[in-house]
Amino acid sequence: MNREKLAWTVSVVLLGLLAFQLPGSMAQRDDDYSFVRTLVDIHRQVAANYVEPVDETKLRESAIEGMLSQLDPFSVYVPPSKQEDFERMLENSFKGVGIQLNQRVEGGPVEVVTPIDGSPAFKAGVMAGDVILKVNGESIDGVRLPDVIKKITGPLGSEVKLTVHHLTGAEAELKMTREEIVIPVIKGFERKADNNWEFYVSHDPKIAYIRIAQFTSDTADNLRQALLPLIGDGMKGLILDLRFNPGGRLEEAVELIDMFVSKGATIVSTKGRNRPETARTATGTNTLPRFPMIVLVNEHSASASEIVAGSLQDNHRALVIGERTYGKGSVQEVIPLDNKGGELKLTVAYYYLPSGRLVHRKKDATDWGVQPQISVPVDAAAEVKEFEQMNQRDRFLRPTTAPTTEESALASPTTGPTTAAAQASSLDPQLQRALDTMVATLVLQGGGIAAAPTTAPAQPVH
């Protein structure tokens, strides 16, 4: 067959294949156009004839939300007006000066619950228990808390002055510049007297406790920076608390797991209808020394926190204690829409643990999430108590000088010193079980522990 006949034959075959494919793609396009025309027609009819005026923007957004409501709760439309807030939510950040406020009685004194570590308020000298008297020289006496917050917030880079009354009795005018506040997500067991974190829940043996509140950018690196001094100090074991952790960035979870498992170990895999199956494996780069490890989870541990707990469990790197996790094991991609139309956060795949188990809880599923090897169920009241205890330990300690004014009496009365073990035993059975299990593990490994563990230095409970 000469070249001309061969070329002609190939062309005929290609045209034949194209003829079979075009009708399907053209039909799909016609269906799309028909749908859009119907949608536009309905929108016009509603806008022109509905009995009351309508908000055009809300109509359009509701039409999109109606379509996505047929999917899962994690597939959502982010309109342009909310994109900035969405990104801040992912990074656990906000604009401001970085203080948590409370007003026990409407119109009463406004008290600083705690400054956020490293925030402008913290750097300016705002302390837990301070009572705010003025904002930019204007008295806030009798002003409701939401209105006080409005006065304190403002554009990034602008300055605000707070006049505060310290628990020590001193009054000060503090200047600070509003910044993007990133809330720290790596936390220890409790605050020391200097308000730095106490990372040991037990000093003999040296058992560290680190809680991760969410997986944001730099979470893995910040965990490493917290662990390295503890390892250098002779840490014997680690309790990693992922309770109440809603997840966050998968990349950070993968990087975190990579610090603990051997090179080549499977970390997690993903698979979707229109996404090829991909497996993430450990690189072996900067792997930390091996030490006993326990991960705490509960029903509010979701997404990336489930990947960390499940992967460390499957790789026989950590013991998991607590309650079965939430079961949010789906992968969302943030897809920018054309013409600056916002973003679409769409579920495109599912997470699978190294054992092949699906993390996600599908409809009518009987098996989902991560099931701890040691189950420690707690009721709703105990769970609330655990969460409140964590929040309490996050706060900076108040100055110990006795109150000298009526405003400073807002401070919660101090009690006698309470050891870490007593707090865990009376308020947190899951943490207590983790501590007991870790001590038993160290004894079995020949730790030579002859007595009960010595807890972290006693701190006043405020």
Side-chain angles (χ1 to χ4, degrees):
M1 185 181 294
N2 59 36
R3 291 185 178 181
E4 291 180 357
K5 288 184 178 181
L6 178 60
W8 174 252
T9 302
V10 171
S11 299
V12 169
V13 172
L14 290 175
L15 286 171
L17 290 173
L18 191 60
F20 279 108
Q21 294 175 359
L22 277 177
S25 60
M26 291 177 67
Q28 178 64 52
R29 187 172 61 183
D30 287 343
D31 284 345
D32 290 343
Y33 286 157
S34 177
F35 165 71
V36 172
R37 281 195 296 268
T38 302
L39 190 62
V40 170
D41 192 23
I42 292 172
H43 176 264
R44 286 174 178 170
Q45 292 297 331
V46 171
N49 299 312
Y50 185 65
V51 64
E52 293 181 2
V54 294
D55 187 315
E56 294 281 340
T57 300
K58 287 184 178 179
L59 274 183
R60 296 188 184 100
E61 291 180 5
S62 296
I64 298 170
E65 290 167 2
M67 183 192 306
L68 297 178
S69 68
Q70 298 302 306
L71 308 179
D72 60 26
F74 313 109
S75 295
V76 296
Y77 169 61
V78 184
S81 60
K82 296 181 181 178
Q83 280 181 258
E84 188 176 349
D85 291 338
F86 177 69
E87 292 299 324
R88 285 201 177 89
M89 181 183 68
L90 289 178
E91 291 302 329
N92 204 23
S93 67
F94 63 93
K95 297 176 183 177
V97 296
I99 46 176
Q100 183 182 343
L101 302 175
N102 184 40
Q103 188 177 52
R104 302 191 183 191
V105 179
E106 186 170 324
V110 174
E111 177 192 6
V112 175
V113 177
T114 185
I116 294 173
D117 204 357
S119 67
F122 170 80
K123 295 173 184 175
V126 175
M127 294 183 288
D130 283 355
V131 173
I132 299 179
L133 305 176
K134 300 177 183 179
V135 178
N136 288 327
E138 180 183 349
S139 172
I140 60 167
D141 186 33
V143 179
R144 296 171 60 251
L145 183 58
D147 296 321
V148 174
I149 293 173
K150 288 179 182 178
K151 292 176 181 291
I152 295 175
T153 56
L156 290 178
S158 60
E159 186 181 84
V160 62
K161 292 182 292 185
L162 301 182
T163 304
V164 301
H165 187 100
H166 296 308
L167 287 178
T168 57
E171 187 175 303
E173 183 179 76
L174 306 174
K175 297 180 181 179
M176 59 206 76
T177 301
R178 299 176 176 102
E179 297 177 359
E180 186 79 25
I181 309 298
V182 178
I183 302 174
V185 296
I186 302 296
K187 303 171 186 290
F189 179 72
E190 61 183 352
R191 296 285 183 179
K192 295 189 288 189
D194 61 0
N195 279 318
N196 288 318
W197 279 114
E198 171 60 75
F199 284 109
Y200 285 121
V201 68
S202 165
H203 275 281
D204 185 16
K206 290 182 176 180
I207 300 172
Y209 168 97
I210 294 180
R211 177 161 60 94
I212 302 178
Q214 187 176 331
F215 287 91
T216 61
S217 58
D218 300 327
T219 294
D221 185 59
N222 289 335
L223 176 64
R224 179 184 293 276
Q225 296 309 313
L227 278 173
L228 288 177
L230 297 172
I231 294 170
D233 187 45
M235 179 190 79
K236 300 299 183 183
L238 169 66
I239 298 173
L240 185 66
D241 196 342
L242 299 181
R243 292 174 297 175
F244 304 102
N245 183 321
R249 295 187 177 275
L250 175 64
E251 286 301 319
E252 291 300 312
V254 170
E255 186 177 340
L256 185 151
I257 298 165
D258 198 3
M259 290 193 289
F260 298 103
V261 298
S262 303
K263 181 178 181 180
T266 300
I267 292 175
V268 67
S269 60
T270 59
K271 182 169 56 176
R273 180 173 63 89
N274 196 32
R275 295 293 187 278
E277 182 173 359
T278 59
R280 304 292 297 272
T281 57
T283 64
T285 304
N286 299 320
T287 306
L288 295 173
R290 195 172 181 88
F291 44 76
M293 189 173 175
I294 290 174
V295 179
L296 280 171
V297 296
N298 64 7
E299 61 181 338
H300 304 288
S301 305
S303 189
S305 59
E306 295 180 272
I307 300 304
V308 171
S311 185
L312 292 175
Q313 182 186 64
D314 281 359
N315 280 294
H316 307 289
R317 181 60 187 86
L319 183 69
V320 179
I321 293 178
E323 295 177 284
R324 180 160 63 175
T325 59
Y326 182 82
K328 195 276 182 185
S330 54
V331 183
Q332 282 75 45
E333 284 186 3
V334 178
I335 304 169
L337 301 177
D338 292 339
N339 300 318
K340 298 182 179 179
E343 296 174 332
L344 177 63
K345 184 162 78 80
L346 186 67
T347 299
V348 297
Y350 288 127
Y351 296 127
Y352 293 84
L353 296 176
S355 62
R357 287 188 62 247
L358 173 64
V359 174
H360 198 71
R361 182 178 184 176
K362 293 186 176 182
K363 185 179 180 181
D364 301 325
T366 58
D367 184 28
W368 67 86
V370 177
Q371 181 66 49
Q373 288 109 324
I374 299 178
S375 178
V376 185
V378 295
D379 59 24
E383 196 172 73
V384 169
K385 209 170 186 179
E386 286 175 358
F387 188 70
E388 289 176 347
Q389 182 190 15
M390 289 177 179
N391 285 336
Q392 182 70 29
R393 294 199 302 257
D394 282 353
R395 300 173 183 177
F396 280 36
L397 301 178
R398 300 169 182 268
T400 55
T401 304
T404 57
T405 67
E406 182 178 351
E407 290 87 351
S408 61
L410 283 166
S412 302
T414 58
T415 66
T418 303
T419 64
Q423 290 181 17
S425 176
S426 61
L427 298 178
D428 193 342
Q430 293 171 337
L431 179 55
Q432 183 63 51
R433 177 67 68 85
L435 180 59
D436 293 343
T437 303
M438 181 65 77
V439 171
T441 300
L442 294 174
V443 169
L444 288 173
Q445 290 183 351
I449 303 164
T454 303
T455 58
Q459 298 289 340
V461 177
H462 299 279

